[in-house]
Amino acid sequence: MNINQLIFRNLKKNLKNYYLYVFALIFSVALYFSFVTLQYDPSMSQEVSIKGEAAVRVASVLLIAIVAIFLLYANTLFIKRRSQEIGLFQLIGMTKNRIFKILSTENLIIYFGSLVIGIFVGFAISKLILMSFFQIIGVDEMANLHFSTEALGQTLLVFAAIYVLIMLTNYLFIKRQSILALFRVTSSSQGKVKKLSIWEHIMGIFGILMIATGYFVSSQLFEGDIVTINGLFLAMGFILAVVIIGTYFFYKGSVRFVTNLIRKNKNGYMNINEVLSLSSIMFRMKSNAFLLTVITTVSALAISLLSLSYISYYSTEKSAQNSVPDDFSITDEESAQTFMNRLEDAGIGYSEKTIEVFEVEFNVRDILDAKIDDLNFDTEQTPLPVISEAAVEDIHLDEGEMKLTGYTDLMQSFISLEGAGTAGIHLNDNWMELDYLGLEKDYVLSSYYVAGGLPIAVVDEKMFSQVKNNFNPELQGKPNLYTGINLDQQGEQAEAFEIFERMGLNETRAHGSQWNVAKQQKLNMGLVMFIVGFLGLTFLITSGCVLYFKQMDEGEDEKGSYTILRKLGFTRGDLLRGIQGKQLFNFGIPLMVGLLHSYFAVNSGWFFFGTELWTPMFIVMGLYTALYSIFGLLSVLYYKKIIKEAL
């Protein structure tokens, strides 16, 4: 048998072990090539700003890092599985250089064969991805299939460099291992500990306590008193440190600690399902603690970023309504009349509303639930815009009463307002007392009138008449009349905005278009969500494959145990039920811990990103869980094959 025949036979024999590696490689190449193709696509460059293009370039670098680490790790697992084969080659007289040449040739065929297929698949799906991107950012643009030679060259260069790194790790592995060590690699790759030490008891308890501490601090970040920026960063650093270290301790000791308690509670008498699931987890998870910590941490990061970006995207319409409560807001009476005349000339139906607005000083000290000394404004003389109760639907006030409206969850987290109390209003050099009845979230005026995120004061008609006759002209920094224009047909928004833009009204912050604000926010947040989703999907697939490879590795190690159990009379069904429990732990524990980490991370500051929490977060978590579960199912199917071959 010559060397070429040996390479071909080895390749054919090992291809069944490489199928998921080949799939992951094809997927990685396709994803990277299609992503880089977007970067060089002409239609993409027209719709994305310079900052957006920079974000795509940064994301492509992160994509390289994720793919490179994954492929290097997967190759390490597979080269260890072939250690005995490498040892046999040395026993029959082959040199290490000749063995390296055989493995390199095999890997070359698999790697670059997958690379070619991946590029073809990436090119085929690039149009679908571009269409999805345009759909996300709300752009009506036809996506054309465009082959980029720049993207091809960049992809070949990146994956050729990764191949060189893989060959270097293989060479070092072969050079450093003796024949005896090669026959022991697979048996020593997993550490098995028979007895739980005192240190592991302490580590297990500390792991759970540290994670719980991180969760508690994150839930209190914006509660109570005003927080400073420095204090916020220190708290976030503390949370990150204790949660990551706690996660490592959790895998290193807590899981073994809990499973040991369960085993002791059963006095050592466990059924076959518990033996195959709990015992296996108890003795193997410790050796995988670092890997599982990395996977859990990055999974939590991916889910958190996906949730926050989707919260921002999901909230674009509501955020636009908060910024511009009407289809068009104009603060200049003459410009408003001209705009309405042009709408009539274009045959566009509309309705108009006008609101008189005055700025008056208020004493809000008694209705703030915060440390007064830490606020950067004078709570006893705070200028607020004032409107009449007649301008707001569903608000009816008696004489001497007031409400506040238009206040975000973000501002409420920093400067919390009481539900009721007493406030003062300054008129004619005198302070008058008003009964404060609470806060409404609805926005009545555009954000142009809201200074620093503070709310709008709504007073009764009699008080508003006094405000109108006695306001301080020097305090009035904005126009007195707000005009809101709403179209009868929402399908005419684009045409109306063209008129609005031709008049130059879109060039100043004093006027606004709700449709345009929503469009711009959707464009910006859609780009962020698209990039984060791309990276998150890549990590999901790669981390799922890594866990699957580990299960393949463990399955081969435990094959002899299944043979013994089958000879003892246990059926395939008995063993399979235990394996299902094992995979539930193997894949479920990292997933659940990652979901918990991401929940507390998102819940602590979601209001910075949008107006809706639960729906977008549950959608992201549900999709991530469903996709992640596929790898658990594949692991069960792989073990099913091993059990079948065990006897």
Side-chain angles (χ1 to χ4, degrees), residues 192 276 557-567 575 646:
K192 297 186 179 181
L276 291 176
D557 287 345
E558 295 170 355
K559 194 171 184 178
S561 301
Y562 300 137
T563 301
I564 294 172
L565 290 171
R566 289 295 311 280
K567 288 180 178 179
L575 300 183

Side-chain angles (χ1 to χ4, degrees), residues 613-628:
L613 168 64
W614 299 109
T615 301
M617 185 175 68
F618 283 151
I619 289 174
V620 169
M621 288 184 173
L623 287 174
Y624 199 93
T625 301
L627 293 173
Y628 199 83

Side-chain angles (χ1 to χ4, degrees), residues 259-449:
T259 51
N260 191 53
L261 288 178
I262 296 173
R263 191 173 68 167
K264 283 187 174 181
N265 188 53
K266 292 180 174 290
N267 296 320
Y269 296 100
M270 296 190 293
N271 59 38
I272 187 63
N273 295 341
E274 292 165 340
V275 169
L276 291 176
S277 56
L278 292 179
S279 297
S280 179
I281 293 297
M282 182 177 180
F283 293 127
R284 288 188 180 270
M285 192 160 280
K286 178 184 176 181
S287 60
N288 299 329
F290 179 75
L291 172 67
L292 292 173
T293 300
V294 172
I295 289 176
T296 301
T297 303
V298 183
S299 291
L301 180 63
I303 296 170
S304 299
L305 291 176
L306 279 168
S307 297
L308 292 174
S309 60
Y310 190 45
I311 284 170
S312 296
Y313 182 80
Y314 191 87
S315 305
T316 52
E317 298 290 342
K318 184 63 178 176
S319 298
Q321 290 175 13
N322 292 345
S323 179
V324 185
D326 300 287
D327 289 341
F328 295 92
S329 64
I330 302 175
T331 59
D332 178 61
E333 191 173 357
E334 183 179 346
S335 298
Q337 189 57 54
T338 303
F339 178 64
M340 289 186 286
N341 291 337
R342 294 192 181 183
L343 288 179
E344 291 175 2
D345 294 339
I348 299 175
Y350 66 89
S351 59
E352 170 198 4
K353 73 175 184 182
T354 57
I355 301 174
E356 289 186 289
V357 188
F358 300 95
E359 287 199 28
V360 182
E361 288 182 333
F362 280 80
N363 183 346
V364 294
R365 184 183 183 93
D366 294 337
I367 64 173
L368 288 177
D369 182 19
K371 264 190 177 181
I372 305 300
D373 296 337
D374 292 334
L375 298 175
N376 58 0
F377 63 91
D378 187 356
T379 58
E380 296 183 357
Q381 286 185 301
T382 304
L384 293 178
V386 180
I387 61 175
S388 169
E389 62 171 321
V392 187
E393 294 182 6
D394 301 327
I395 290 185
H396 306 285
L397 302 172
D398 294 329
E399 186 177 340
E401 294 178 340
M402 68 166 285
K403 274 194 171 186
L404 296 177
T405 187
Y407 204 52
T408 63
D409 291 317
L410 174 60
M411 290 301 300
Q412 184 74 351
S413 65
F414 279 100
I415 308 175
S416 180
L417 291 166
E418 300 280 6
T422 303
I425 183 170
H426 191 232
L427 292 175
N428 283 337
D429 296 327
N430 294 316
W431 284 95
M432 303 175 63
E433 194 172 272
L434 296 175
D435 291 329
Y436 169 65
L437 301 184
L439 176 68
E440 300 286 338
K441 288 188 176 182
D442 294 335
Y443 281 74
V444 183
L445 303 177
S446 65
S447 58
Y448 175 69
Y449 285 96

Side-chain angles (χ1 to χ4, degrees), residues 211-227:
I211 293 175
T213 301
Y215 289 170
F216 175 76
V217 175
S218 70
S219 66
Q220 300 298 314
L221 270 182
F222 302 99
E223 295 291 333
D225 298 336
I226 293 295
V227 295

Side-chain angles (χ1 to χ4, degrees), residues 520-556:
Q520 293 302 316
Q521 290 182 356
K522 187 173 288 188
L523 177 65
N524 294 330
M525 293 317 304
L527 174 65
V528 172
M529 191 178 75
F530 180 77
I531 292 174
V532 172
F534 227 93
L535 295 176
L537 180 62
T538 305
F539 178 77
L540 169 65
I541 298 296
T542 54
S543 61
C545 285
V546 166
L547 288 177
Y548 179 79
F549 293 156
K550 292 293 292 182
Q551 293 311 301
M552 289 175 63
D553 198 33
E554 290 180 12
E556 293 295 331

